[in-house]
Amino acid sequence: MLILIQLLIAVGITAFLSLMLVVAEMLFANYGECEIDINKGEKKLKVKGGSSLLSSLAENNIFIPSACGGRGSCGFCKLKVVDGGGPLLPTEKPFLSPAEIKDNVRLSCQVKVKNDLRIQVPEELFAIKQFKARVKKIENYTYDIKGLTFELLEPDSIHFKAGQYMQLSTVKYGKVKQSVSRAYSISSNPNNPKDLQLIIRRVPDGICTTWVHDYLKENDEVKLTGPFGDFYIRDTDNDIVFIAGGSGKAPIKSMIENLYDAGCERKMTYFFGARAVKDLYLTDYLKSYEDKLKEFTYVPILSSPEKDDNWQGRTGFIMPHFGEFIKHPAQTEAYLCGSPGMINAVSKGLTDMGVPEDQIYYDSF
Ligand code: FES
């Protein structure tokens, strides 16, 4: 018993001292001005020490991908920190492979700028911009999914590939005193570069989705950053299978509109999984592409239709329906958008039927 009490006291003292160190660092640490050397002297930034590398770069208009807004939970913000990054933190390890760790890859949101740094930034990231935009239209697609159209103000147009995503920044609202950024796939056609559309599903207690669903109004001004991501259609002759439910429809809609504009004649099937009729949206719109495209089929499948739904369509899980549509698995490419669990399960179903693993592309959220 005595040992247990001594142990608890020791743990308590350690926790207290750690807390004091964090507070002291927040209050008193002064790292002064630090230099960030990018790509062997290609750019040199002078920044005030103390912030994360991710936000220090963003303040200098260099935007690194981030889906979690710097909370250390998405693993998107990887950068090579050649020198000055300090020791690897436990929060970074789950997102880095042994090869990346050996190669000095770090999560830029977890690296604090405390001294001069030497880093490497891929050239394509310098093209990412921050846009000022006006909310042009908000549509209720379902009870928990909204479609938002933004008019880009400054810069007033964007160049992106269908399938890429943007980061939307919130403003202070209600009890939320800090701006956060979250990633959302673009649902509009790249051939309309002046307006940008996003599809956003409400996440219970989600800071950004609560703001979008309960506070954001038409004509409000917002900040968007991007485009990011390498989820886009590969230029081959393979058949295409799209699989995405909920707000995962956003990048697929953009891809289909863009493929239509390009006169694509590839065979395409879009499996859209939902629970019940109340979760379906843009159904007629996507069905209309069956007449426009040479070989396109839109296949909504409900897992739990409700009694009053009078649903005459397909039911159950998505995978048992694959065989009817995927006739040449080895010559098929799949584009999946959804949760990691859905992507793992569907990828396995596709590879089991013969779709090559390296022809399965996904956007996981
Ligand atoms: S921004 Fe998400 S882990 Fe760094």
Side-chain angles (χ1 to χ4, degrees):
M1 186 63 180
L2 187 63
I3 292 176
L4 186 65
I5 292 171
Q6 284 173 333
L7 194 67
L8 285 173
I9 290 172
V11 169
I13 291 172
T14 310
F16 177 73
L17 288 176
S18 308
L19 184 67
M20 292 310 291
L21 274 175
V22 172
V23 172
E25 174 152 320
M26 281 168 60
L27 291 177
F28 307 118
N30 180 1
Y31 302 107
E33 190 180 71
C34 304
E35 183 180 271
I36 304 178
D37 177 309
I38 302 172
N39 298 353
K40 296 185 182 157
E42 196 181 294
K43 265 182 207 279
K44 288 190 180 183
L45 308 176
K46 297 280 184 204
V47 303
K48 191 167 173 292
S51 299
S52 73
L53 177 57
L54 180 78
S55 55
S56 299
L57 292 173
E59 277 163 22
N60 286 277
N61 294 323
I62 298 172
F63 301 103
I64 308 302
S66 153
C68 70
R71 290 178 301 169
S73 60
C74 71
F76 283 21
C77 61
K78 292 176 186 177
L79 275 187
K80 196 163 169 176
V81 179
V82 184
D83 194 26
L88 189 70
L89 301 180
T91 44
E92 299 175 77
K93 284 186 183 160
F95 297 99
L96 300 172
S97 67
E100 286 175 323
I101 292 174
K102 203 168 160 224
D103 208 22
N104 293 322
V105 175
R106 304 287 302 269
L107 294 190
S108 59
C109 71
Q110 301 297 299
V111 174
K112 200 166 182 177
V113 181
K114 297 178 177 179
N115 43 253
D116 292 352
L117 289 171
R118 283 195 298 128
I119 65 171
Q120 284 181 12
V121 176
E123 285 298 327
E124 64 269 19
L125 294 187
F126 294 121
I128 290 166
K129 295 182 186 141
Q130 190 161 73
F131 295 81
K132 201 187 331 165
R134 178 182 73 87
V135 182
K136 197 167 165 182
K137 191 157 73 166
I138 301 180
E139 296 167 272
N140 289 318
Y141 284 157
T142 72
Y143 60 97
D144 67 348
I145 294 180
K146 284 185 189 289
L148 294 102
T149 304
F150 301 94
E151 176 194 11
L152 297 178
L153 302 175
E154 203 186 313
D156 65 359
S157 66
I158 183 169
H159 177 72
F160 67 96
K161 285 183 182 167
Q164 288 193 296
Y165 69 90
M166 300 291 289
Q167 283 173 207
L168 173 65
S169 301
T170 66
V171 295
K172 294 177 196 170
Y173 71 89
K175 289 184 179 160
V176 179
K177 301 293 175 220
Q178 267 194 328
S179 166
V180 300
S181 299
R182 295 288 183 269
Y184 299 102
S185 295
I186 303 168
S187 61
S188 47
N189 189 337
N191 290 334
N192 180 7
K194 300 259 179 203
D195 284 351
L196 205 65
Q197 292 178 334
L198 305 178
I199 294 176
I200 300 183
R201 179 180 217 156
R202 183 192 285 276
V203 175
D205 299 324
I207 295 178
C208 190
T209 67
T210 301
W211 174 65
V212 166
H213 278 256
D214 297 342
Y215 291 84
L216 194 64
K217 301 182 303 299
E218 289 179 350
N219 291 317
D220 282 355
E221 276 194 14
V222 300
K223 266 194 300 183
L224 290 155
T225 310
F228 297 102
D230 54 9
F231 183 60
Y232 53 83
I233 296 285
R234 271 49 180 186
D235 188 13
T236 70
D237 291 330
N238 288 327
D239 293 349
I240 298 175
V241 172
F242 299 110
I243 302 160
S247 55
K249 183 176 272 180
I252 310 300
K253 172 180 170 291
S254 176
M255 288 172 170
I256 290 168
E257 290 174 351
N258 200 227
L259 287 167
Y260 170 67
D261 281 1
C264 179
E265 298 198 340
R266 294 163 68 177
K267 178 177 171 0
M268 295 177 226
T269 311
Y270 179 8
F271 297 96
F272 179 78
R275 285 177 63 80
V277 165
K278 66 176 190 235
D279 299 302
L280 297 176
Y281 66 101
L282 295 178
T283 304
D284 291 343
Y285 177 73
L286 282 159
K287 276 268 170 204
S288 73
Y289 277 87
E290 292 184 346
D291 297 327
K292 294 180 186 171
L293 283 158
K294 187 164 178 243
E295 248 193 299
F296 173 75
T297 315
Y298 182 61
V299 189
I301 301 168
L302 299 187
S303 61
S304 327
E306 292 170 3
K307 241 188 180 170
D308 299 340
D309 281 350
N310 292 320
W311 177 248
Q312 306 295 322
R314 292 166 187 273
T315 56
F317 292 114
I318 290 181
M319 283 184 283
H321 301 269
F322 286 170
E324 201 179 319
F325 296 90
I326 303 174
K327 296 296 180 198
H328 309 103
Q331 286 82 45
T332 295
E333 270 163 36
Y335 294 86
L336 325 180
C337 186
S339 67
M342 171 283 223
I343 284 170
N344 286 342
V346 170
S347 298
K348 179 161 185 333
L350 289 168
T351 49
D352 283 352
M353 68 184 296
V355 176
E357 207 175 330
D358 61 359
Q359 288 173 201
I360 300 174
Y361 306 97
Y362 57 83
D363 187 7
S364 164
F365 61 85

